[in-house]
Amino acid sequence: MMRIEIIRRPQHSALFSALSPFIALLLTLLAGAVLFAILGKNPVAALYSYFVEPLTEIWSIHELLIKAAPLILIAVGLSVCFLSNNWNIGAEGQFIAGGVAGSILPVVFPDFQGWYVLPVMLVLGMAGGMAYAAIPALLKTRFNTNEILTSLMLVYVAQLFLDWLVRGPWRNPQGYNFPETIQFNSSAILPEIWTASGRAHWGFVLALLAALLVWFMLSRMLSGYEIKVLGRSARAGRFAGFSAGRLTFFAFLISGALAGLAGISEVSGAVGQLRPSISPGYGFTAIIVAFLGRLNPLGIIAAGLVLALTYLGGEAAQISLGISEKSARIFQGMVLFFILASDTLIYYRIRIVSRSVETAAKGA
Amino acid sequence: MMFEAILLTVATAATPLLIAALGELVVERSGVLNLGVEGMMIMGAVCGFAAAQMTGSAWIGLIAAICAGAAFSLLFGFLSLTLATNQYATGLALTLLGLGASAMIGESFVGMPGVRMQSISIPGLTEIPFIGKFLFGQDPIFYISIALTAAVAWFLFRTKAGLTLRAIGDNHTSAHALGVPVLRYRYLAVLFGGACAGLAGAQLSLVYVPQWVENMTSGRGWIALALVVFASWRPWRVLAGAYLFGAVTIGQLHAQALGIGIPSQFMSSLPYLATIIVLVLISRNKRLTLMNTPASLGKAFVPDR
């Protein structure tokens, strides 16, 4: 009989802290290979079309950036929440709120055209996400209500609200009854970065900027220090004079604003109108991105690209090998499992004990 | 007749919430927070549907669902208990993986006719007006859910093992010092929670709507988590809460059918809004909440060796 025991390290291991994401990715690939073998596919070919094929063509790299942009934006915001021990898991709802709020101008006032349209849309998108994230923050600070459950419930409410909008008041009157708004006019479309080679839009640049700004705040400013202290020990933070309530608001508002920005850039840059569903679960996948990126905005850029690859890989594997593209979501779930498991190595040593030795030792 | 029909549909809507919440209640009483209920539930739903569809037997589907939920919960158990990972993140991982895996497993079953679990019928009793069908003419999972409520209440508050489990949830360090095998209790609690979530999922795909639809749990696992808080970690209050939510769900469906002019999407969001309101009301009193919550809830336990 074998048993696994963990023993706390006297000091956390810097080595495993750096290695853990790579161990996790390696284990994910191995588990993926096993999964494909069980499904009766050639594991090497499957992994190739999943993780290499999408990187072999320029247009496909553009698609990668399109998918990575919302993931990075949302995950950077979530890192502020998770570091400060605020469990905002409703980013998907804040993403939708941002997409809807930012679309007010192009849908309700399509006659407004000009350079000012896009900036107003982006600001409205951030405001929408912020306002939506303020609800769980308010309920947590004012009524002591668990933010996990409230922020998640609001995701369903936002999805239903968007569904109502595009089937009801915002439906395109000339749209043959399709549940869609009108197409945004050209001044409401986030431009492409390099039109000649693919579709990637400025949303990715916004994501990089946001990551840099939040990285600077977390590592170089007092507010970043406050976030980390209160996140690790609320008591120690209180003694230092930091307010947990204020920080909860701050974290939720930042992450809501970034999720909202992700929402409106996706709608404006990649979709061009509102539809009943504007996200393939970006708000949830971003949770995985945040953890894989070590809750560090710079790490999150890399992690966002990796997770974006799983979306493309799923599509590629479906086309070339007939593997369901839903396998991408299994990959995403596995990444989070393996990163959490590998993180154990940072704080603990793992020992495998066999029962017989143990009883013998006790006998002696 | 109308009254009886409504009562029956409320019970059908309440039963999966009740079963999943009872399982999670035991898990949380042992000091573990498993946010993976939604994931375990949907795995139960898809495996139950698939097994019933392939064998033609709803009972085999039921057993498969229970096993699937329990097996899936072991993933959470291994990480959060043996490897002492963050329980919040691990539970979320379980939900995300469950939603993804169920979508893939269920892909070939979309649109297929399912196997419905038959309701029981006792001649003479089932025909009693008003309450006959409710008491003596429902599907077996309904009766299991009621029996389970009584069993969990009895176990937690009337047995020594239940007392030990609650002690672990309130202070795992002291329990460990007294020689209680903390991790063994917690593993069993997590397994029980998984089995219950799997059973709750089977109720959805074998009784509620006997077919497979992707994401068919639509947040019920999360509502079950809220119910545990709402019930202050007490089994009979979970039953009351589940029927309250069942009533809200059915009430909004009837209102939609009557066509009272409110958009259906707003009516559909009522159960989620009700969850938020109920959580606010129950957790407003900070002292009371603190008193009811298992003190070790969500904290990783690593024994001193």
Side-chain angles (χ1 to χ4, degrees):
Chain A
M1 204 35 201
M2 303 282 263
R3 202 157 55 109
I4 297 171
E5 276 184 0
I6 56 174
I7 299 149
R8 196 181 293 275
R9 293 179 193 275
Q11 254 181 339
H12 86 271
S13 157
L15 175 71
F16 280 112
S17 188
L19 278 183
S20 161
F22 299 100
I23 300 176
L25 288 177
L26 195 70
L27 289 172
T28 306
L29 290 181
L30 284 176
V34 171
L35 182 73
F36 289 133
I38 292 172
L39 291 174
K41 311 280 176 187
N42 178 353
V44 178
L47 287 180
Y48 177 84
S49 66
Y50 232 95
F51 295 101
V52 183
E53 206 181 287
L55 298 174
T56 51
E57 293 194 64
I58 299 280
W59 67 266
S60 168
I61 289 178
H62 275 263
E63 297 300 313
L64 185 74
L65 300 187
I66 290 177
K67 297 252 181 331
L71 291 175
I72 295 170
L73 272 171
I74 301 170
V76 164
L78 289 181
S79 71
V80 177
C81 277
F82 295 163
L83 280 172
S84 62
N85 224 351
N86 285 298
W87 290 86
N88 174 14
I89 56 171
E92 181 85 357
Q94 294 141 27
F95 179 95
I96 293 172
V100 167
S103 302
I104 292 175
L105 207 52
V107 174
V108 183
F109 307 102
D111 297 336
F112 285 91
Q113 296 190 16
W115 62 267
Y116 57 87
V117 169
L118 258 183
V120 171
M121 283 169 66
L122 295 182
V123 169
L124 278 178
M126 290 172 82
M130 259 172 142
Y132 211 56
I135 302 172
L138 178 76
L139 297 180
K140 180 179 181 180
T141 49
R142 180 79 181 72
F143 299 110
N144 186 35
T145 313
N146 182 318
E147 76 274 24
I148 300 177
L149 294 169
T150 52
S151 63
L152 189 100
M153 289 295 133
L154 287 172
V155 173
Y156 293 100
V157 176
Q159 285 170 341
L160 286 163
F161 182 74
L162 172 63
D163 192 76
W164 170 71
L165 268 185
V166 297
R167 289 174 203 278
W170 281 13
R171 192 177 58 201
N172 180 4
Q174 273 96 49
Y176 305 101
N177 253 337
F178 277 111
E180 295 170 346
T181 64
I182 54 166
Q183 293 278 345
F184 292 1
N185 63 55
S186 58
S187 60
I189 298 282
L190 207 54
E192 287 163 2
I193 301 174
W194 189 22
T195 317
S197 62
R199 298 198 308 137
H201 55 80
W202 281 84
F204 186 73
V205 178
L206 290 176
L208 292 183
L209 283 177
L212 284 175
L213 276 174
V214 173
W215 171 80
F216 184 78
M217 180 193 77
L218 284 175
S219 58
R220 298 283 182 276
M221 284 166 63
L222 181 66
S223 49
Y225 182 67
E226 200 177 323
I227 288 167
K228 288 177 191 161
V229 170
L230 273 169
R232 284 199 195 137
S233 160
R235 236 168 97 82
R238 268 205 307 280
F239 286 134
F242 301 151
S243 153
R246 230 187 49 221
L247 178 61
T248 296
F249 259 103
F250 179 73
F252 266 94
L253 291 185
I254 284 202
S255 91
L258 291 178
L261 182 61
I264 188 57
S265 359
E266 174 76 9
V267 170
S268 157
V271 190
Q273 63 181 170
L274 280 179
R275 294 176 189 157
S277 165
I278 53 173
S279 160
Y282 286 137
F284 295 111
T285 310
I287 298 173
I288 305 169
V289 173
F291 278 103
L292 183 64
R294 322 255 50 163
L295 303 181
N296 174 333
L298 301 184
I300 284 170
I301 297 176
L305 290 167
V306 171
L307 268 292
L309 188 56
T310 60
Y311 280 109
L312 293 188
E315 289 165 18
Q318 170 138 18
I319 294 164
S320 59
L321 293 165
I323 301 166
S324 164
E325 68 170 333
K326 301 205 162 85
S327 56
R329 290 169 66 191
I330 297 186
F331 266 106
Q332 295 165 0
M334 286 197 305
V335 170
L336 185 51
F337 261 107
F338 285 126
I339 185 86
L340 291 169
S342 334
D343 275 357
T344 299
L345 289 168
I346 302 174
Y347 299 102
Y348 303 97
R349 278 188 296 122
I350 290 181
R351 196 170 65 172
I352 297 171
V353 210
S354 71
R355 278 278 153 78
S356 55
V357 173
E358 203 177 56
T359 32
K362 270 186 190 151
Chain B
M1 258 7 254
M2 184 69 181
F3 167 77
E4 189 173 30
I6 291 180
L7 202 61
L8 281 174
T9 45
V10 168
T12 315
T15 300
L17 297 175
L18 172 60
I19 297 175
L22 281 174
E24 179 67 13
L25 183 143
V26 172
V27 178
E28 293 191 15
R29 277 283 186 174
S30 82
V32 178
L33 181 67
N34 185 354
L35 294 180
V37 183
E38 180 88 0
M40 301 185 295
M41 204 166 169
I42 194 101
M43 287 301 278
V46 74
C47 293
F49 182 90
Q53 218 277 338
M54 289 188 294
T55 60
S57 156
W59 282 101
I60 291 181
L62 191 85
I63 290 163
I66 293 175
C67 294
F72 206 54
S73 74
L74 271 185
L75 267 180
F76 171 83
F78 178 70
L79 260 77
S80 68
L81 300 178
T82 300
L83 297 182
T85 57
N86 179 316
Q87 292 177 10
Y88 292 75
T90 313
L92 278 176
L94 198 71
T95 287
L96 293 174
L97 188 66
L99 289 172
S102 64
M104 193 162 160
I105 298 171
E107 207 168 29
S108 50
F109 292 99
V110 174
M112 273 193 190
V115 181
R116 186 189 281 275
M117 182 154 260
Q118 292 304 319
S119 297
I120 64 161
S121 166
I122 306 171
L125 292 175
T126 310
E127 289 84 29
I128 300 173
F130 293 118
I131 50 160
K133 267 225 166 102
F134 181 76
L135 289 178
F136 304 108
Q138 297 207 55
D139 62 280
I141 302 182
F142 165 78
Y143 301 101
I144 295 177
S145 76
I146 305 294
L148 206 58
T149 316
V152 167
W154 173 79
F155 169 78
L156 282 177
F157 300 104
R158 293 278 180 275
T159 67
K160 186 156 175 283
L163 179 68
T164 311
L165 184 97
R166 286 186 290 135
I168 292 170
D170 276 328
N171 191 333
H172 50 215
T173 320
S174 301
H176 175 67
L178 289 170
V180 176
V182 173
L183 290 183
R184 190 180 308 158
Y185 268 87
R186 287 192 168 166
Y187 258 110
L188 290 174
V190 165
L191 266 177
F192 177 74
C196 284
L199 175 61
Q203 198 270 3
L204 289 177
S205 63
L206 296 175
V207 176
Y208 199 73
V209 266
Q211 53 179 323
W212 166 250
V213 185
E214 203 182 316
N215 289 340
M216 71 185 294
T217 44
S218 57
R220 285 188 181 82
W222 294 102
I223 294 180
L225 274 157
L227 273 178
V228 178
V229 180
F230 167 76
S232 313
W233 290 267
R234 282 164 210 276
W236 288 107
R237 290 193 199 169
V238 168
L239 180 113
Y243 275 79
L244 183 73
F245 272 88
V248 172
T249 310
I250 297 306
Q252 59 91 4
L253 283 178
H254 279 283
Q256 281 187 34
L258 287 174
I260 51 172
I262 300 173
S264 66
Q265 291 92 342
F266 290 0
M267 300 306 289
S268 302
S269 59
L270 274 181
Y272 307 113
L273 292 172
T275 308
I276 297 176
I277 292 167
V278 155
L279 279 173
V280 168
L281 290 179
I282 206 78
S283 50
R284 213 174 27 167
N285 188 336
K286 209 167 182 172
R287 271 234 322 276
L288 201 68
T289 318
L290 211 63
M291 218 170 69
N292 286 326
T293 315
S296 294
L297 187 64
K299 295 181 186 133
F301 170 72
V302 182
D304 298 320
R305 288 185 235 271

